[in-house]
């Protein structure tokens, strides 16, 4: 959902501060000796004097320039930083340390927008609504460098001012210089002490400013963890949203085994997913197994919840599987690979045509049929699927570390519409699954309204299974029967999983699964 206002922009109320804008209005024009003006003084018989040389705009460094351009696209066009930045780095041939700096400045600034705006507002004397957009972007970029990096203050200020002077609004350079110099007078902790609500009287407000999250997200995460703002784990959960996620690969079973993927990628076997590999560096897209579709880039949490759907035993046949909201196709590809090993077929439904194309590309060569349609009313026979995955659209609060600007773009008002959609999709899943079949309800959000709230109002006749039994070896799964994964606990995205069965006849004993890389066969 694209907001109508730039993400992170404060209300257009005047913000006053103790430091005014810089300018040149008081500078006096120089008059030559003898009272003769420059306009009339002649330098020889050739006529009027030469005009003084004008100062050329500075040439800003490319790392900061690309960071500023991405911030402008996020603010003005609703762009996604994690999709826009890689293309610009390639287009401008920015690599190595410069690419790393651009990535840190872009993603870090997007994550900290609300906090940065609070500090900028305290240091400036103009309302945000009175500033050019690029000036706002530059102020945010410069403030992030001053408060969140080890870049020397003079370098952060001068480099940011140079960006403005070389851009479309060079007149804003004086104001940017003045505000950033004021910002540089204190470190981050000092600004938190000055501007954040008192932790004793308003702990949620204090954490919201100190950890750069909207208050409503702090509340939602605290509720999901239990204990609210007094839970010491809450700060760790918020802090984890600011840590860049590791790259996880998935070895699609039947196409490549994990040991081979480890050898080809130089990675390490994942801790929990039998198909996962941790990649410590490099471009995963350059790996041949990823390029040819034998492997993919997929968070370990997504691997776990997709695999969990395939583990509970079902009575009778087990050949028809369904993914009700399949785009962009990562989970469909893993399910399709597992289905191929069992002689099953997966139907994948995606409502958006371009995302359906992504699914087709991802599952190429697997027993997967892709359908463009609404998962709430798929044009498929009801009560005919043995296993149904519902990876429901959600607020994405469990993947904030991957989508830097998302915390400021999402609004609490989004939740009601999403939970209504989630319930409607779950009702459809309940119609599509056959008696004795299994549904996996999945969200990438810990928000209780999207997790426990939806499951608590599930369609009648669906029985909850203990999902913990189908995530063997994963620690800290709570009391069950549903499971909430967390970045700060398991190192995965914040995936929620509920496994539900439509009662049928007699359910056979659980099947055994082979867990590659562990050398054992384990019952479900």
């Amino acid at each position: 959902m694209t907001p109508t206002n730039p993400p992170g922009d404060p209300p257009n109320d005047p913000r006053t501060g103790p430091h005014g804008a810089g300018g040149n209005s008081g500078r006096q024009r120089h008059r030559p000796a003898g009272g003769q003006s420059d306009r009339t003084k002649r330098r020889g018989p050739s006529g009027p004097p030469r005009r003084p040389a004008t100062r050329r705009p500075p040439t800003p460094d490319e790392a900061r320039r690309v960071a500023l351009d991405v911030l402008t696209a996020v603010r003005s066009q609703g762009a996604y930083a994690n999709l826009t930045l890689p293309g610009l780095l390639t287009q401008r041939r920015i690599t190595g340390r410069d690419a790393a700096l651009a990535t840190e400045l872009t993603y870090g600034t997007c994550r900290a927008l609300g906090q940065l705006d609070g500090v900028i507002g305290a240091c400036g004397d103009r309302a945000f609504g009175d500033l050019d957009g690029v000036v706002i972007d530059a102020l945010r970029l410069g403030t992030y460098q001053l408060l969140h990096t080890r870049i020397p203050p003079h370098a952060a200020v001068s480099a940011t001012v140079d960006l403005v002077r070389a851009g479309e609004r060079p007149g804003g350079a004086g104001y940017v210089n003045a505000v950033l110099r004021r910002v540089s007078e204190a470190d981050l902790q000092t600004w938190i002490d000055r501007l954040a609500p008192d932790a004793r009287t308003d702990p949620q407000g204090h954490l919201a400013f100190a950890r750069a999250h909207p208050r409503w997200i702090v509340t939602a995460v605290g509720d999901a963890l239990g204990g609210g703002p007094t839970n010491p784990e809450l700060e760790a959960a918020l802090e984890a949203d600011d840590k860049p996620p590791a790259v996880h690969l998935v070895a699609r079973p039947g196409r490549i085994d994990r040991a081979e993927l480890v050898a080809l990628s130089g990675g390490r076997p994942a801790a929990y997913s039998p198909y996962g590999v941790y990649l410590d560096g490099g471009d995963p897209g350059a790996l041949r197994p990823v390029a040819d579709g034998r492997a993919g880039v997929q968070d370990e949490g997504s691997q776990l919840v997709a695999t969990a759907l395939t583990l509970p035993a079902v009575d009778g046949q087990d050949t028809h599987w369904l993914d009700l909201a399949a785009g962009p196709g990562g989970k469909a590809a893993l399910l399709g690979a597992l289905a191929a090993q069992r002689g099953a077929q997966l139907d994948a439904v995606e409502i958006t045509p371009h995302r359906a194309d992504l699914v087709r590309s991802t599952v190429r060569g697997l027993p997967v049929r892709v359908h463009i349609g609404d998962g709430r009313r798929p044009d498929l026979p009801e009560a005919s699927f043995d296993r149904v995955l519902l990876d429901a659209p959600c607020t994405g609060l469990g993947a904030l570390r991957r989508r830097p600007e998302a915390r400021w773009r999402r609004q609490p008002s989004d939740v009601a519409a999403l939970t209504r959609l989630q319930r409607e999709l779950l009702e459809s899943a309940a119609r599509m699954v056959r008696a004795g079949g299994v549904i996996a309800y999945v969200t990438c959000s810990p928000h209780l309204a999207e997790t426990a709230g939806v499951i608590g109002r599930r369609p009648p006749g669906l029985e909850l299974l203990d999902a913990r039994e189908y995530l063997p070896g994963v620690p800290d799964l709570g009391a069950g029967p549903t499971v909430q994964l967390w970045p700060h606990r398991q190192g995965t995205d914040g995936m929620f999983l509920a496994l539900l069965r439509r009662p049928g006849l007699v359910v056979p004993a659980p099947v055994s699964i082979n867990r590659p890389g562990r050398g054992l066969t384990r019952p479900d």
Side-chain angles (χ1 to χ4, degrees):
M1 178 176 179
T2 302
T4 54
N5 294 321
D9 277 2
N12 292 332
D13 296 327
R15 295 192 179 210
T16 58
H19 191 74
N24 297 322
S25 59
R27 184 172 296 170
Q28 299 295 316
R29 179 178 295 173
H30 174 72
R31 305 278 294 188
Q36 189 177 19
S37 70
D38 288 332
R39 187 181 300 274
T40 59
K41 184 177 180 180
R42 304 176 69 89
R43 296 190 179 184
S46 61
R50 298 176 183 173
R51 298 185 64 181
T54 53
R55 184 179 179 186
R56 293 182 179 180
T59 302
D61 70 85
E62 285 303 309
R64 288 180 174 86
R65 166 57 66 190
V66 76
L68 183 64
D69 289 347
V70 176
L71 293 177
T72 298
V74 168
R75 173 187 52 78
S76 64
Q77 302 169 24
Y80 296 95
N82 66 320
L83 300 181
T84 305
L85 178 63
L88 286 180
L89 292 176
T90 300
Q91 177 185 331
R92 301 182 189 183
R93 298 180 180 179
I94 300 173
T95 59
R97 296 179 62 182
D98 285 342
L101 175 61
T103 301
E104 162 65 16
L105 297 184
T106 302
Y107 294 169
T109 302
C110 286
R111 291 185 181 108
L113 279 184
Q115 181 193 76
L116 301 176
D117 287 353
V119 175
I120 293 166
C123 294
D125 61 358
R126 299 181 189 176
F128 274 67
D130 295 336
L131 298 175
D132 289 321
V134 70
V135 171
I136 295 174
D137 300 331
L139 285 169
R140 290 168 170 171
L141 180 61
T143 302
Y144 180 80
Q145 294 174 72
L146 289 168
L147 301 184
H148 289 273
T149 75
R150 296 181 179 180
I151 296 171
H154 69 276
V157 173
S158 63
T160 306
V161 171
D162 284 349
L163 282 175
V164 179
R165 287 182 51 224
E168 298 177 356
R169 295 291 187 269
Y175 186 70
V176 170
N177 180 67
V179 173
L180 293 183
R181 288 185 180 279
R182 187 55 174 240
V183 173
S184 70
E185 293 173 1
D187 62 12
L188 176 60
Q189 187 56 54
T190 301
W191 283 116
I192 291 172
D193 294 341
R194 291 179 184 176
L195 300 178
D198 191 297
R200 294 165 297 182
T201 59
D202 185 4
Q204 289 171 327
H206 182 86
L207 281 173
F209 188 90
R211 292 300 172 194
H213 283 68
R215 180 189 288 263
W216 74 273
I217 294 180
V218 175
T219 300
V221 174
D223 290 345
L225 287 168
T230 61
N231 186 339
E233 196 179 1
L234 174 56
E235 187 164 8
L238 300 175
E239 191 174 346
D241 288 339
D242 292 334
K243 295 178 180 177
V247 176
H248 296 173
L249 303 179
V250 58
R252 290 172 181 151
R255 293 194 150 189
I256 188 172
D257 62 42
R258 182 165 70 171
E260 183 181 0
L261 182 58
V262 167
L264 292 174
S265 67
R268 297 173 287 117
Y272 311 123
S273 168
Y275 313 111
V277 173
Y278 300 153
L279 193 63
D280 293 326
D283 177 11
L287 297 172
R288 180 169 294 180
V290 174
D292 64 23
R294 290 177 292 158
V297 178
Q298 187 175 48
D299 178 73
E300 188 175 16
S302 293
Q303 298 176 41
L304 290 169
V305 297
T307 303
L309 171 64
T310 70
L311 301 184
V314 297
D315 59 316
Q317 68 175 23
D318 188 13
T319 56
H320 293 87
W321 299 2
L322 174 64
D323 185 345
L324 265 183
K331 295 182 183 70
L334 178 53
L335 287 176
L338 291 168
Q341 292 186 316
R342 299 194 195 176
Q345 174 89 31
L346 175 71
D347 286 276
V349 178
E350 172 52 47
I351 192 171
T352 307
H354 81 272
R355 285 170 64 88
D357 290 339
L358 292 175
V359 178
R360 290 191 185 94
S361 176
T362 305
V363 303
R364 187 177 294 114
L366 295 170
V368 181
R369 295 177 296 202
V370 180
H371 311 266
I372 299 176
D374 189 336
R376 292 171 292 184
R377 296 174 294 276
D379 188 18
L380 294 167
E382 296 185 356
S384 62
F385 291 94
D386 310 304
R387 301 181 191 271
V388 178
L389 172 66
L390 172 53
D391 183 16
C394 65
T395 56
L397 301 189
L400 294 181
R401 59 186 186 158
R402 297 188 184 278
R403 303 179 180 96
E405 70 289 320
R407 70 187 70 177
W408 308 109
R409 190 167 281 175
R410 277 294 184 194
Q411 300 296 324
S413 56
D414 298 336
V415 176
L418 284 167
T419 54
R420 181 167 58 251
L421 174 61
Q422 291 157 359
R423 291 196 302 270
E424 291 171 353
L425 285 166
L426 185 55
E427 289 168 359
S428 174
R431 293 192 300 270
M432 304 307 293
V433 72
R434 68 170 176 83
V438 177
I439 299 169
Y441 174 79
V442 173
T443 68
C444 189
S445 171
H447 198 297
L448 290 180
E450 302 181 89
T451 58
V454 171
I455 295 302
R457 299 174 64 181
R458 63 187 180 275
L462 295 181
E463 298 178 348
L464 269 174
L465 305 178
D466 192 337
R468 296 174 299 174
E469 298 178 13
Y470 305 101
L471 279 75
V474 182
D476 301 322
L477 294 180
T482 62
V483 164
Q484 178 66 62
L485 302 176
W486 292 95
H488 70 286
R489 287 184 184 174
Q490 292 90 9
T492 69
D493 287 345
M495 307 297 296
F496 172 83
L497 170 66
L499 291 174
L500 307 110
R501 186 192 302 278
R502 178 169 292 288
L505 301 176
V506 178
V507 177
V511 297
S512 295
I513 61 169
N514 183 43
R515 299 184 60 79
R518 301 204 178 184
L520 57 88
T521 299
R522 178 171 183 154
D524 292 345

